[in-house]
Amino acid sequence: MRTGRLNRVMLALVGLLLLVLGGAVLAVGLGAPVPSWWLRAGAHDVLLTRAERTRWRHTGGWWPAVLAGLAAVVLLALWWLTTVLRRRRLTEVVVDTGDGELALLHARALESALAQEAVRQEGVAHAEVVLRGRRTAPTARIWLQLEPHVDPSTALTDFTDRALTHARESARLESLPTEVRLRAVRHRAERVT
């Protein structure tokens, strides 16, 4: 959950930076006055002058090092893009119907049912469920927000004995490895008189 939010923020910041820089280059190219933070003094100046380009020519490893650094940046950007675009959330679960056939269950439906059953449990204020893994062997990540008066170990035991067991049995899964994170609802301190 947090990594998705971080990825969106980082992507928005990089996009905004590229938009500002690209807009500035376009504006200067179309004849707008040069901004004070511009790299060169005039609108028709080049980014690298001939002297700057040829200054390192006698050093044999300079340009291969620059190209290797740029290639590393491009590969890191492509790796990051593939990790952002890769689906981490399961879309469907394969259910054995018992008669030799298989059925597909939407993972969102199982997540919703599991979250609703968890919220019906005494002391659970809110629940979020995410299924990951493979279609034939899903794993669950669950966040339970508990009321202040609830004992966390009791709430966890009740959740695993009831809601989680019911979800596993209804989807006919041999096992449903689960990570449960508990947190308490924020509340004001109670006054003692």
Side-chain angles (χ1 to χ4, degrees):
M1 291 267 189
R2 291 182 182 158
T3 57
R5 198 173 304 141
L6 177 66
N7 281 335
R8 286 191 295 271
V9 168
M10 291 299 293
L11 194 58
L13 290 175
V14 169
L16 184 64
L17 177 70
L18 290 175
L19 185 67
V20 167
L21 289 176
V25 168
L26 182 63
V28 168
L30 293 175
V34 179
S36 61
W37 51 268
W38 200 250
L39 297 174
R40 300 291 175 207
H44 299 289
D45 285 347
V46 294
L47 186 60
L48 289 173
T49 64
R50 182 172 176 79
E52 290 171 335
R53 283 192 320 255
T54 58
R55 178 172 65 181
W56 300 99
R57 184 175 282 177
H58 66 278
T59 306
W62 169 251
W63 287 112
V66 168
L67 292 176
L70 290 174
V73 167
V74 167
L75 288 175
L76 282 173
L78 288 174
W79 172 77
W80 177 66
L81 181 66
T82 57
T83 58
V84 168
L85 294 178
R86 183 176 19 152
R87 284 188 184 178
R88 295 181 186 242
R89 197 171 199 156
L90 199 58
T91 56
E92 53 192 24
V93 177
V94 174
V95 177
D96 182 11
T97 59
D99 59 356
E101 296 293 323
L102 298 176
L104 293 178
L105 172 66
H106 287 285
R108 297 275 176 143
L110 185 58
E111 290 171 352
S112 176
L114 189 54
Q116 288 174 5
E117 193 167 347
V119 170
R120 276 190 242 124
Q121 177 182 323
E122 183 180 344
V124 176
H126 181 72
E128 290 182 38
V129 180
V130 175
L131 291 177
R132 295 184 175 175
R134 295 181 320 223
R135 296 172 4 153
T136 56
T139 61
R141 181 173 284 176
I142 300 167
W143 292 267
L144 296 178
Q145 197 169 22
L146 303 177
E147 297 291 342
H149 65 280
V150 175
D151 177 36
S153 63
T154 305
L156 182 60
T157 303
D158 288 347
F159 174 75
T160 55
D161 289 346
R162 292 184 187 141
L164 194 59
T165 303
H166 186 247
R168 184 179 50 78
E169 288 174 353
S170 65
R172 293 193 175 200
L173 297 170
E174 291 180 17
S175 67
L176 182 58
T178 304
E179 175 186 336
V180 180
R181 295 186 181 199
L182 305 174
R183 64 177 182 253
V185 174
R186 293 181 183 238
H187 66 287
R188 290 182 160 178
E190 296 179 11
R191 293 184 177 226
V192 178
T193 56

